[in-house]
């Protein structure tokens, strides 16, 4: 209580300015009101200055952030435009290549299809003619067998005649019969 009333003992430390301002004094109420009002105005001024400086710092900070975001957005947009146009160009080039390849494959497909139709027609034709070809082969084989048999029949007498004539030539008989000079009879 001594401290509150301003009376101090020798062992108590002196009061600080803040402690003194919070200790009520017993002065007139008008003086108290005026002192309190000045203190409040001082605190309000300090608070206003502090608030103003903090708001200014925040404004500067967020303006810097906003400017950085704008620059980043501009760079991204510029890069996006370039990469988009590059991508569109690459896609157009790839599309042209695919169209060329597609046309080439269509031509190849048409050629293979035409060849397939031709071969199918050829196969059908051969299948249809197979029976006739077999008959022709059988006839030809029969004619060949007959020709071989005829050759054998005609060849034996001729060989005999040739060997007789050769003997006559070797023996020096030049005359021979009139029958020998006749050509052989044709069968």
């Amino acid at each position: 209580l001594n401290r509150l009333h301003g009376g101090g003992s020798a062992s108590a430390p002196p009061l600080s300015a803040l402690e003194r301002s919070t200790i009520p004094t017993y002065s007139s109420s008008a003086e108290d009101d005026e002192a309190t009002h000045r203190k409040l105005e001082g605190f309000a001024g300090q608070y206003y200055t502090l608030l103003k400086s903090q708001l200014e710092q925040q404004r500067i900070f967020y303006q810097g952030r906003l400017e950085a975001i704008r620059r980043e957005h501009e760079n991204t947009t510029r890069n996006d435009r370039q990469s988009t146009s590059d991508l569109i160009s690459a896609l157009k080039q790839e599309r042209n290549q695919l169209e060329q390849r597609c046309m080439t494959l269509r031509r190849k497909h048409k050629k293979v299809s035409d060849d397939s139709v031709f071969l199918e027609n050829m196969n059908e034709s051969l299948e249809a003619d197979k029976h006739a070809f077999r008959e022709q082969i059988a006839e030809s084989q029969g004619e060949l067998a007959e020709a071989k048999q005829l050759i054998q029949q005609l060849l034996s007498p001729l060989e005999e005649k040739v060997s007789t004539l050769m003997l006559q030539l070797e023996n020096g008989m030049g005359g021979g019969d009139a029958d020998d000079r006749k050509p052989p009879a044709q069968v």
Side-chain angles (χ1 to χ4, degrees), residues 155-185:
L155 193 60
S156 292
L158 286 176
E159 284 178 345
E160 287 178 18
K161 209 169 206 180
V162 167
S163 57
T164 306
L165 288 173
M166 289 302 281
L167 281 174
Q168 286 177 357
L169 276 175
E170 286 178 7
N171 290 336
M173 301 177 137
D177 293 337
D179 290 340
D180 288 342
R181 286 186 226 146
K182 282 188 194 174

Side-chain angles (χ1 to χ4, degrees), residues 35-174:
T36 305
H37 181 68
R38 273 185 275 145
K39 284 182 185 178
L40 287 175
E41 281 182 353
F43 287 138
Q46 288 176 356
Y47 179 74
Y48 174 76
T49 305
L50 177 65
L51 185 60
K52 184 178 175 183
S53 69
Q54 286 180 346
L55 287 174
E56 183 66 21
Q57 288 175 354
Q58 288 179 355
R59 182 185 64 80
I60 292 169
F61 173 76
Y62 284 111
Q63 280 180 342
R65 290 282 312 263
L66 184 60
E67 187 59 34
I69 290 171
R70 283 182 184 148
R71 280 193 305 270
E72 183 179 323
H73 178 70
E74 286 174 6
N75 291 338
T76 303
T77 304
R78 190 177 316 121
N79 290 340
D80 285 348
R81 281 188 215 129
Q82 288 174 348
S83 63
T84 302
S85 64
D86 291 345
L87 181 62
I88 289 171
S89 175
L91 289 174
K92 283 181 179 179
Q93 184 177 7
E94 185 177 350
R95 186 176 107 202
N96 288 339
Q97 290 173 349
L98 289 173
E99 285 175 353
Q100 292 295 325
R101 186 170 179 215
C102 188
M103 286 174 46
T104 302
L105 290 174
R106 282 185 184 131
R107 283 193 298 266
K108 286 182 180 179
H109 179 266
K110 182 170 179 4
K111 184 177 181 341
V112 168
S113 178
D114 291 345
D115 289 348
S116 175
V117 168
F118 172 75
L119 291 175
E120 285 174 3
N121 290 338
M122 179 67 80
N123 191 33
E124 289 173 4
S125 174
L126 291 173
E127 285 290 328
D129 294 341
K130 182 169 61 173
H131 185 67
F133 286 143
R134 284 188 178 162
E135 287 178 2
Q136 276 184 333
I137 290 172
E139 283 179 25
S140 297
Q141 285 175 342
E143 290 174 2
L144 180 63
E146 288 176 15
K148 283 182 180 180
Q149 186 179 12
L150 181 63
I151 288 173
Q152 284 301 324
Q153 288 174 357
L154 294 176
L155 193 60
S156 292
L158 286 176
E159 284 178 345
E160 287 178 18
K161 209 169 206 180
V162 167
S163 57
T164 306
L165 288 173
M166 289 302 281
L167 281 174
Q168 286 177 357
L169 276 175
E170 286 178 7
N171 290 336
M173 301 177 137

